[in-house]
């Protein structure tokens, strides 16, 4: 893992109190970066993680807010940037599969309007809303943003076709935000494969072992594997913009 000296920088990580978001917060925090941890207002993991990370010496604050709520999202970004005095890095990581069990492409009846609205609001519009609110701060800082897409947004079946479409949207939006926010701000995405997180609680043993067997590197990604790539795209990768980096151990090859 590459280490960075990010003292004097400030970051906002959406969905930062668990999984990939929390692993990203930890790398940034250990590198000296101030971090605002976004979480849903009623998610107790937010204040718990802030307390735990502060006890480890990291400079973190809580940034409660729902990225699916247009006004709430903008207010949350503004409050985080103002509390930290600047915003160099934005990580748009909050996401939902919208379903506890996977929906195959032929199961059209299970793809309800509600599912579509939920995944698009959180996974795609949430990214745009955060980017829009953060843009003046990122421009002023000459910063960078990274979104968490998925191999489901490329040519791989995800938890549902609606989820896949939301993540394909993130990949497209990443290119356009890179065009729109450059030259001051670099904009990239990561596309994880199967990650060892709470999402797999309801997976069958067969689904779990398939995700390992099919991967060229013969293991599932840990949240830290994805966080490592996110921080590289934020703080390294000086000439990389508009790109989506697949981090899946070769699952989608
Ligand atoms: P996770 O459930 O631990 O993380 C998602 C976080 O987003 C949670 O903390 C959740 O509370 C938060 N969140 C959900 N809706 C929100 C909203 N409306 N506003 C604010 N926060 C909200 O799971 P994870 O695996 O760490 O997922 C992180 C990202 O990685 C997601 O965007 C997901 O789509 C993507 N991803 C995950 C996998 C996987 O296998 N787990 C694979 C590919 C991509």
């Amino acid at each position: 893992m590459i280490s960075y000296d990010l003292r004097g920088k400030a970051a906002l990580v959406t969905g930062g109190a668990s999984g990939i978001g929390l692993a990203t917060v930890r790398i940034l925090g250990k590198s000296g970066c101030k971090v605002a941890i976004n979480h849903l207002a009623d998610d107790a993991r937010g204040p718990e993680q802030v307390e735990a990370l502060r006890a480890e010496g990291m400079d973190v604050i809580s940034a409660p807010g729902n990225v699916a709520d247009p006004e709430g999202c903008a207010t949350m970004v503004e409050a985080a940037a103002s509390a930290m005095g600047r915003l160099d890095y934005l990580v748009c990581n909050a996401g939902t599969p919208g379903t506890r069990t996977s929906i195959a492409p032929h199961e059209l009846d299970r793809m309800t309007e509600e599912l579509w609205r939920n995944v698009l609001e959180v996974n795609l519009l949430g990214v745009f809303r955060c980017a829009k609110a953060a843009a003046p701060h990122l421009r002023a800082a000459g910063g960078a943003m990274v979104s968490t897409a998925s191999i489901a947004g490329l040519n791989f079946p995800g938890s549902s076709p609606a989820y896949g479409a939301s993540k394909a949207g993130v990949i497209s939006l990443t290119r356009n935000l890179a065009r729109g926010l450059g030259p001051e701000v670099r904009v990239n995405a990561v596309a994880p494969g199967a990650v060892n997180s709470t999402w797999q609680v309801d997976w069958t043993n067969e689904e779990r072992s398939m995700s390992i067997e099919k991967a060229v590197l013969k293991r599932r990604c840990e949240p830290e594997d994805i966080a490592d790539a996110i921080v590289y795209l934020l703080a390294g990768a000086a000439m990389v913009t508009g790109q989506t980096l697949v981090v899946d151990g070769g699952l989608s090859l």
Side-chain angles (χ1 to χ4, degrees), residues 15 18-21 38 40 43 45 65-68 93-95 122 148-150 163 167 192-195 197-200:
S18 64
I20 296 166
N38 162 254
L40 287 166
D43 186 349
R45 294 174 300 180
N66 183 347
V67 301
N93 167 78
V122 178
T148 310
S150 168
Y163 178 79
K167 294 300 189 179
V195 183
S197 81
T198 52
W199 289 28
Q200 295 173 4

Side-chain angles (χ1 to χ4, degrees), residues 93-96 123-124 148-150 152-154 162-172 199:
N93 167 78
T96 180
N123 298 355
L124 180 55
T148 310
S150 168
L154 297 162
Y163 178 79
S166 75
K167 294 300 189 179
V170 170
I171 292 167
S172 167
W199 289 28

Side-chain angles (χ1 to χ4, degrees), residues 26 37 47-60:
R26 291 190 73 86
I37 302 178
E48 280 164 17
Q49 289 301 339
V50 167
E51 198 183 324
L53 296 173
R54 279 186 183 160
E56 288 182 47
M58 291 178 227
D59 191 356
V60 296

Side-chain angles (χ1 to χ4, degrees), residues 145-149 170-171 174 187-191 233 242-246:
M145 80 172 262
V146 174
S147 302
T148 310
V170 170
I171 292 167
T174 296
V187 183
N188 292 292
V190 290
L233 289 171
Q243 304 305 306
T244 295
L245 178 59
V246 174

Side-chain angles (χ1 to χ4, degrees), residues 156 209-218 249-253:
F156 200 79
S209 50
M210 280 288 277
S211 71
I212 295 169
E213 275 313 302
K214 278 191 184 168
V216 173
L217 300 184
K218 299 294 172 216
L251 179 61
S252 60
L253 270 183

Side-chain angles (χ1 to χ4, degrees), residues 93-232:
N93 167 78
T96 180
T99 171
R100 286 179 75 87
T101 52
S102 295
I103 300 174
H106 68 272
E107 297 181 288
L108 302 194
D109 289 342
R110 290 185 63 205
M111 291 172 227
T112 61
E113 289 280 328
E114 192 191 355
L115 171 78
W116 273 98
R117 274 200 201 93
N118 184 21
V119 296
L120 290 176
E121 279 285 344
V122 178
N123 298 355
L124 180 55
L125 274 76
V127 172
F128 176 70
R129 288 176 188 132
C130 289
K132 187 176 171 184
H137 302 286
L138 296 175
R139 278 204 168 105
M145 80 172 262
V146 174
S147 302
T148 310
S150 168
I151 55 170
L154 297 162
N155 191 17
F156 200 79
S159 53
S160 76
Y163 178 79
S166 75
K167 294 300 189 179
V170 170
I171 292 167
S172 167
L173 182 60
T174 296
R175 293 191 199 105
N176 278 317
L177 286 173
R179 292 179 181 114
L181 298 184
E184 296 92 347
V185 184
R186 291 181 306 101
V187 183
N188 292 292
V190 290
V195 183
N196 190 10
S197 81
T198 52
W199 289 28
Q200 295 173 4
V201 171
D202 293 330
W203 277 26
T204 60
N205 285 339
E206 196 190 347
E207 280 176 310
R208 275 193 199 125
S209 50
M210 280 288 277
S211 71
I212 295 169
E213 275 313 302
K214 278 191 184 168
V216 173
L217 300 184
K218 299 294 172 216
R219 72 168 174 88
R220 248 177 308 162
C221 294
E222 295 299 326
E224 292 71 20
D225 295 313
I226 314 303
D228 187 32
I230 291 174
V231 177
Y232 162 67

